[in-house]
Amino acid sequence: MTGFIEIVEVGARDGLQNEKAALEVEAKIDFIYRLEACGARRIEAVSFVNERRVPQMAGAEAIMAALPHEDGRSRIGLVLNERGWDRALAAKVDEANVVVCATDGFGIRNQGASVAGQMEALAAIVARQQAEGGPPITVTFSVAFGCPFDGEVSEEQVAALARDAGALGVPEIALGDTIGVADPWTVRRRIEAVRKAAPNARLRMHFHDTRGTGLANAFASVEAGVTVLDASCGGLGGCPFAPAATGNIATEDLVYMLSRAGYETGYDMDMLIETGRWIGEKIGKAPVSSLSRAGGFPG
């Protein structure tokens, strides 16, 4: 197998937001630079959320001010609503990722808004970006495979959201398995359904490894033709508003799997292992990635 798989590094945002330790701005900037030295070219750097609710994400503006714009690199800011969009514009992010929950139960607890309200916010943000300018917009549909409050999430629910996002002209749609309940077969079917619903949008997949199926789901996505995957160095991550949510698939583990199959990713696996151990020391938690324990092969 040959080809390039783009890995969007989410360790600096999703990786840190659920950890007890709240790093200083300088440490977060250092983490971002280390990740970029590993090969990250699209990286979730900041989140424009209420810092009182998610103190781990404090300092977004200071972080962006310290990151000079560089060709070939996109520092992404996570946005939940128009207030977040205003902050993202002021901070001059390279890309804005708008998160919409696929269920009312999760949306109200996580973002204080129903699915309909979140889709209205997405439409307003897209309209403003088209009329006034601003960074490119992508959308992530969280709990796209299952919700800790509403249970199963149907294919029809997700396809309907994707259809509406595609009609708005959103160029990239991500499906997030926020609580790690997806399986490879469901992943294949959901990708097919979203492609039919939003044929002009590029697909990105975001998996958590809560129940040990994360890499299998990434494999199923690649087999289905998806070429953009999210991952977090060290396997850090989780959602503060999802009970028992654990980390994303580890970037180093994903890079290892893909490289063994002949895919290019642009990442240095050994540097990722080293960076995962470094951030683990910073937050007082050992990385959970398999490669942090076993290393690559051949050695």
Side-chain angles (χ1 to χ4, degrees):
M1 300 177 186
T2 59
F4 183 82
I5 302 295
E6 181 180 31
I7 299 175
V8 179
E9 173 59 54
V10 301
R13 196 279 303 175
D14 202 348
L16 296 180
Q17 72 172 7
N18 201 41
E19 299 301 327
K20 292 181 180 178
L23 297 183
E24 297 295 328
V25 165
E26 291 74 16
K28 295 177 187 177
I29 294 168
D30 192 0
F31 188 28
I32 290 166
Y33 277 132
R34 287 171 183 261
L35 291 168
E36 292 184 336
C38 293
R41 290 299 174 265
R42 284 180 77 193
I43 180 168
E44 274 199 350
V46 294
S47 178
F48 297 103
V49 295
N50 187 328
E51 296 176 3
R52 291 190 298 275
R53 297 195 73 199
V54 191
Q56 296 89 339
M57 293 291 97
E61 283 81 1
I63 292 168
M64 285 306 305
L67 297 174
H69 293 281
E70 299 184 47
D71 290 341
R73 299 190 185 191
S74 181
R75 281 71 174 254
I76 304 168
L78 184 137
V79 170
L80 302 183
N81 47 43
E82 286 194 78
R83 293 189 301 278
W85 173 248
D86 289 334
R87 290 178 63 191
L89 284 176
K92 298 181 180 179
V93 298
D94 299 307
E95 183 180 336
N97 182 38
V98 181
V99 176
V100 173
C101 305
T103 66
D104 286 335
F106 197 71
I108 290 168
R109 289 170 175 84
N110 187 56
Q111 297 176 206
S114 66
V115 176
Q118 293 171 74
M119 287 301 292
E120 289 174 4
L122 173 64
I125 290 168
V126 170
R128 288 181 56 187
Q129 192 262 1
Q130 292 173 345
E132 304 163 8
I137 293 171
T138 63
V139 64
T140 294
F141 292 117
S142 64
V143 293
F145 295 89
C147 172
F149 308 110
D150 291 0
E152 296 287 353
V153 176
S154 73
E155 191 171 284
E156 291 73 22
Q157 283 175 263
V158 177
L161 291 171
R163 186 176 299 108
D164 289 345
L168 291 172
V170 176
E172 182 180 270
I173 295 171
L175 303 184
D177 184 19
T178 310
I179 59 171
V181 294
D183 64 82
W185 297 273
T186 301
V187 167
R188 289 290 296 264
R189 291 193 299 270
R190 205 136 297 191
I191 288 170
E192 292 172 5
V194 170
R195 280 205 179 110
K196 290 178 182 177
N200 295 321
R202 182 166 70 158
L203 289 188
R204 188 174 92 242
M205 305 300 287
H206 178 106
F207 295 114
H208 287 242
D209 200 35
T210 313
R211 292 166 178 81
T213 57
L215 282 179
N217 293 332
F219 167 78
S221 301
V222 173
E223 288 288 284
V226 172
T227 59
V228 192
L229 298 166
D230 289 356
S232 173
C233 182
L236 300 176
C239 177
F241 306 104
T246 54
N248 301 261
I249 54 175
T251 312
E252 54 267 42
D253 293 352
L254 180 60
V255 167
Y256 173 78
M257 181 181 77
L258 293 172
S259 66
R260 290 287 288 178
Y263 288 102
E264 296 291 333
T265 64
Y267 280 81
D268 184 307
M269 191 170 63
D270 292 333
M271 289 184 68
L272 282 169
I273 294 171
E274 180 183 337
T275 300
R277 291 170 177 164
W278 175 85
I279 191 62
E281 291 177 359
K282 286 288 185 182
I283 63 174
K285 176 181 177 181
V288 299
S289 66
S290 296
L291 263 70
S292 68
R293 298 187 297 272
F297 179 85

